[in-house]
Amino acid sequence: MIWNSAGWQSWVELRPLAIPCTSFIFLKESLMKRLFILLAAMFAVSSVFAQNSMQQILEARFTAANATHDGKLTKEQAQAGMPRVAAHFDEIDTTHQGYVTLEQIEQFVAQHQR
């Protein structure tokens, strides 16, 4: 017997009011799934923002290093403004034209990030 605001009641009478254990576990699993989906979505969005940010930084550095503003970065320009590009200049300049473009640098970075 249990005393509550309705007076003395047996556990059997109160049982339908109790939350079954399996329902509680289901509720907990449902919340965990929603939380996981929310976290995954937040991670995906943050990755996109980080990638866009890195893209903007790369473009800004390329523009600053490209003294002639012709969209072509020579080895000398790379040494002055983008030392990592200069260190890998021959690998990035796959066409062996003596300059690299922003697109070539982006491709090189994408290949070597993995």
Side-chain angles (χ1 to χ4, degrees):
M1 299 287 281
I2 291 182
W3 175 261
N4 64 16
S5 60
W8 286 101
Q9 291 185 339
S10 69
W11 177 252
V12 176
E13 292 171 350
L14 293 175
R15 193 171 193 165
L17 300 176
I19 298 174
C21 186
T22 55
S23 296
F24 180 72
I25 291 171
F26 174 74
L27 180 64
K28 189 175 176 182
E29 288 176 2
S30 177
L31 288 173
M32 292 299 287
K33 286 178 185 177
R34 288 181 183 171
L35 180 61
F36 177 76
I37 291 169
L38 178 63
L39 288 174
M42 288 174 57
F43 179 74
V45 168
S46 67
S47 295
V48 169
F49 283 134
Q51 188 138 8
N52 286 342
S53 174
M54 290 298 293
Q55 176 71 21
Q56 290 171 346
I57 291 169
L58 184 62
E59 287 176 9
R61 292 193 64 201
F62 182 87
T63 301
N66 185 16
T68 55
H69 306 290
D70 59 357
K72 301 172 184 176
L73 197 66
T74 64
K75 192 166 191 170
E76 292 77 25
Q77 290 173 337
Q79 287 170 340
M82 297 184 81
R84 283 192 172 177
V85 170
H88 299 281
F89 193 87
D90 294 329
E91 295 173 68
I92 299 170
D93 184 16
T94 55
T95 57
H96 306 290
Q97 294 179 330
Y99 64 85
V100 294
T101 63
L102 180 59
E103 183 179 333
Q104 288 174 307
I105 296 170
E106 289 170 347
Q107 289 173 355
F108 180 81
V109 168
Q111 290 171 351
H112 291 84
Q113 275 184 340
R114 297 175 186 141

